[in-house]
Amino acid sequence: MKLKLVLSAWLFAALNVNADVIESPNGMISVDFQIKNGVPTYKVDYKGIPVIGESKLGLELRDGKNFMDGFEQIKSTTSAFDETWQPVWGEVKEIRNHYNEYLAELKQSSTDRYMNIRFRVYDDGLGFRYEFPQQKNLAYFVIKEEHSQFAMTGDHTAWWIPGDYDTQEYDYTESKLSEIRSLLSEAVTSNASQTVFSPTGVQTSLQLKTAEGLYINLHEAALVNYACMHLNLDDKNLIFESWLTPDAEGYKGRLQAPCHSPWRTVMVSDDARDILASHLILNLNEPCKLEDTSWIKPVKYMGVWWEMITGKGSWSYTNALPSVHLDNCDYSQLPPNGTHSANNENVKRYIDFAAEHGFDQLLIEGWNIGWEDWFGNQKDYVFDFVTPYPDFDIRMLNEYAHSKGIRLMMHHETSSSSRNYERHLESAYQLMNKYGYNSVKSGYVGNMLPYGEHHYGQWMNNHYLYCIVEAAKHQIMVNAHEAVRPTGLCRTYPNLIGNESARGTEYQAFGGSKTFHTTILPFTRLQGGPMDYTPGIFEMNISKLNPNNDSHVNATLANQLALYVTMYSPLQMAADVPENYERFMDAFQFIKDVPVDWDNSIYLEAEPGKYVTVARKEKGTNDWFIGCATGNAPHQSTISLDFLEKGKNYVAIVYADAKDADYKSNPQAYKIVKGIVDSKSRLRINTVEAGGYAISLFEVKDKNEMKGLKRLSVSPVK
């Protein structure tokens, strides 16, 4: 690791004449911090252009005088930091963490209390947080609200979802800031648990674009022992203000000094690709806390899942009981319903297919008792996480999977009974260790227990982290669904290999998602960490699996292939059922070939809502893979392959929308073109709405690999 740390204030002063202004290392971003009439304020410029207007900082407390005014600055410290670190897994092999820092130490004279505000300014954005040092007049305190402002400089275009304490599973809306109020009620669609808090409230990560072409992103980093931050818009003055998730009593946080808030982040660039390539959120998190990470491995998996999501099969074993008491229910005496998907023969069928095609793991949902009345009851003792149904032989199936080189992936749906999960967590992880499971998909569907708590409050955020830390003790990787959206904690705890925390592929079986959805997620949800989006659906008409479900997957088959590259995750699922892949084995080859861990990633094209094109280099090889997902309009993509190693030839396999492809009427129309390319090649490929393309680029190691192949040129791939 390369590390350089400079703490001397005189050195930094040479870079900045005004001590209240801190600049990014390249000088493009500047932050102006001032105390005005006792109120902390800041402004942000990019290349001399205002990005964040004068904005106030502070916190409202439950008791005593608020931390919002009456401050004087007693000290300031400046420093610079530059390191290069290697993630356990990721989009790139190395990440540079280079910033200039400014620490303002503040005193509230009327109370003799102290608060610090720390800024870190990078070339791609900045973070700031509140810090509360050890002090005699502030030990334990309760936050009523945090009032961090982000003053917009115009009526920007925004890609947003409604502010909600319990779900992020919404389609995105594209609108002007001034239009949020009139559009929000329509943007709120039904969910198993939801609590919308304001007619102008939105969630982070929030992507914005100015009329001048600046891309701005607002989010947070390192969310630990604190409530999740949303944003509430004053639409008369176009000022966003932080809005924390409350606890069961309505308060926003319970803290003990010394402590600090998460980082509040602002990314800015005049190139959308820079937002996608940013590592700002990861860099603002602490380094890895796990001494041994050798057991953490990226995973490509399949699952007994989609058939239940579509309604073809069921999670439950029997229909004989309206309610279940787990401590006195003998399932062996109950009649099976005949639709239970997690049965021995069906699971073995999936294991065989996954093993034949080189997958790592197989997820099985509905394996454990309790699914008969799991949903909508806020039931405390809902699952025990260790007892299988009579038709699921856990020992036999694990031995069968291991004999074929496959691991089974554990599933822990908690039904949001977090106390029950913590009660059973140790025995559940021990069971996983016993049978060789090394990863778990957990879920938090429904309203939260304890009563009154929310999915994104301080109490639940501590619960999610507790599960991750405990899992690491058992060398278990965690993929949490319905949990709080990530804020870069996967750097500190890299066994957090995935989250859902957004509207995933399952909604394509629940009525569909907007066509531009997957071109927005990389700018928003994925800023804080990878998403278990579960791509790879090849049959778009859900009625083919379940005649009672007329939903349609709003994507082309080529689009589904592209998502394995554009939606970065070290955890990628081939989500469809085996019989649908067997119909399109030539296209399925890309899913088999595409890696889940990378040495390098280059964003070639990007525009939120329209298209995302990215090239990634497989870790430890010289092979590259390209994905392009398009949104609400067709796109002609012209890309240069100048990132390839000079002087070498590559076999390119292009999987793209056919000329007559249509995500509604002809989604399975695709073409596959194979040819030779090198670093001088340029490709032009046309895509349709909700379409895309995927390209494999294999380094030629033997000239015989090029026999019969033509060189691909700039002309459109036909």
Side-chain angles (χ1 to χ4, degrees), residues 417-470:
S417 181
S418 56
R419 185 184 73 154
N420 181 61
Y421 192 36
E422 291 187 12
R423 183 191 301 134
H424 291 93
L425 196 62
E426 178 62 22
S427 61
Y429 286 165
Q430 286 180 0
L431 181 81
M432 291 179 62
N433 290 156
K434 176 181 178 180
Y435 289 111
Y437 293 90
N438 70 347
S439 62
V440 59
K441 172 185 175 181
S442 57
Y444 295 86
V445 174
N447 292 328
M448 194 59 63
L449 279 171
Y451 297 108
E453 293 293 338
H454 295 288
H455 283 72
Y456 305 152
Q458 182 183 20
W459 198 94
M460 280 306 301
N461 293 336
N462 289 343
H463 164 84
Y464 303 134
L465 184 55
Y466 171 76
C467 294
I468 294 164
V469 172
E470 292 303 303

Side-chain angles (χ1 to χ4, degrees), residues 412-699:
H412 290 164
E413 175 55 59
T414 70
S415 191
S416 287
S417 181
S418 56
R419 185 184 73 154
N420 181 61
Y421 192 36
E422 291 187 12
R423 183 191 301 134
H424 291 93
L425 196 62
E426 178 62 22
S427 61
Y429 286 165
Q430 286 180 0
L431 181 81
M432 291 179 62
N433 290 156
K434 176 181 178 180
Y435 289 111
Y437 293 90
N438 70 347
S439 62
V440 59
K441 172 185 175 181
S442 57
Y444 295 86
V445 174
N447 292 328
M448 194 59 63
L449 279 171
Y451 297 108
E453 293 293 338
H454 295 288
H455 283 72
Y456 305 152
Q458 182 183 20
W459 198 94
M460 280 306 301
N461 293 336
N462 289 343
H463 164 84
Y464 303 134
L465 184 55
Y466 171 76
C467 294
I468 294 164
V469 172
E470 292 303 303
K473 296 175 183 177
H474 292 266
Q475 296 194 346
I476 290 171
M477 300 179 288
V478 177
N479 167 29
H481 283 226
E482 293 89 30
V484 68
R485 79 285 186 277
T487 58
L489 283 173
C490 57
R491 178 188 180 186
T492 311
Y493 301 98
N495 65 314
L496 176 59
I497 59 168
N499 282 112
E500 183 192 37
S501 309
R503 187 182 180 96
T505 298
E506 63 185 1
Y507 279 84
Q508 297 280 26
F510 303 158
S513 296
K514 293 179 181 178
T515 57
F516 68 2
H517 188 59
T518 55
T519 65
I520 298 172
L521 286 173
F523 287 94
T524 53
R525 162 61 186 77
L526 271 69
Q527 287 299 314
M531 180 179 178
D532 184 25
Y533 184 74
T534 63
I537 304 303
F538 277 16
E539 177 51 69
M540 312 308 170
N541 292 321
I542 304 302
S543 60
K544 297 285 183 69
L545 275 177
N546 176 13
N548 298 316
N549 186 343
D550 60 0
S551 295
H552 182 82
V553 178
N554 294 323
T556 68
L557 192 150
N559 170 277
Q560 291 292 294
L561 297 181
L563 298 181
Y564 288 92
V565 186
T566 64
M567 297 280 290
Y568 167 68
S569 178
L571 179 78
Q572 291 284 22
M573 184 184 196
D576 212 334
V577 297
E579 51 265 38
N580 286 337
Y581 290 134
E582 289 170 343
R583 295 163 54 200
F584 306 99
M585 290 305 294
D586 55 351
F588 186 60
Q589 186 63 44
F590 181 81
I591 298 179
K592 294 171 61 174
D593 290 338
V594 68
V596 288
D597 203 10
W598 310 97
D599 274 339
N600 195 13
S601 296
I602 302 172
Y603 288 89
L604 304 176
E605 304 174 301
E607 185 64 28
K610 298 188 182 301
Y611 49 83
V612 172
T613 308
V614 59
R616 303 191 194 274
K617 183 175 179 289
E618 181 180 6
K619 181 163 284 188
T621 78
N622 210 21
D623 298 334
W624 288 77
F625 294 79
I626 300 175
C628 172
T630 50
N632 53 16
H635 175 59
Q636 184 176 88
S637 181
T638 302
I639 57 172
S640 169
L641 304 185
D642 57 2
F643 51 84
L644 297 177
E645 186 174 343
K646 290 179 173 57
K648 290 189 177 291
N649 288 310
Y650 292 77
V651 175
I653 308 174
V654 182
Y655 306 78
D657 293 326
K659 187 175 182 180
D660 58 345
D662 185 283
Y663 79 91
K664 291 181 181 177
S665 61
N666 200 17
Q668 293 160 333
Y670 62 91
K671 58 195 175 187
I672 300 177
V673 178
K674 191 173 182 180
I676 302 300
V677 297
D678 57 27
S679 62
K680 299 178 182 178
S681 300
R682 296 174 70 241
L683 299 178
R684 186 180 301 142
I685 307 174
N686 294 318
T687 68
V688 301
E689 180 180 358
Y693 62 82
I695 306 175
S696 303
L697 297 163
F698 298 109
E699 178 190 2

Side-chain angles (χ1 to χ4, degrees), residues 100-117:
N100 292 331
E101 182 172 278
Y102 178 85
L103 176 64
E105 299 183 42
L106 311 179
K107 178 181 179 181
Q108 194 176 54
S109 298
S110 63
T111 61
D112 193 26
R113 297 184 306 187
Y114 299 83
M115 179 178 76
N116 303 334
I117 301 178

Side-chain angles (χ1 to χ4, degrees), residues 317-321 328-336 369 389-391:
Y317 171 78
T318 182
N319 297 336
L321 297 177
N328 61 11
C329 182
D330 184 356
Y331 277 93
S332 67
Q333 302 302 309
L334 298 173
I369 62 174
Y389 279 123
D391 60 349

Side-chain angles (χ1 to χ4, degrees), residues 168 172 203-207 217-219 523-525 527:
Q168 282 211 318
Y172 280 86
Q203 301 195 46
T204 71
S205 173
L206 176 67
Q207 182 61 46
N217 188 283
L218 306 179
H219 195 28
F523 287 94
T524 53
R525 162 61 186 77
Q527 287 299 314

Side-chain angles (χ1 to χ4, degrees), residues 63 148 150 152 160 162 186 195 232 242 254 261 277 298 301 432 439 461 507 516-517 522 660 676:
D63 305 307
S148 300
F150 305 85
M152 300 291 97
W160 56 272
E186 182 182 344
T195 311
N232 196 47
S242 57
R254 300 167 188 272
S261 74
Y301 73 106
M432 291 179 62
S439 62
N461 293 336
Y507 279 84
F516 68 2
H517 188 59
D660 58 345
I676 302 300

Side-chain angles (χ1 to χ4, degrees), residues 119-132:
F119 289 87
R120 290 181 180 172
V121 187
Y122 295 77
D123 290 342
D124 51 355
L126 64 120
F128 66 85
R129 72 181 184 188
Y130 303 94
E131 299 179 354
F132 306 94

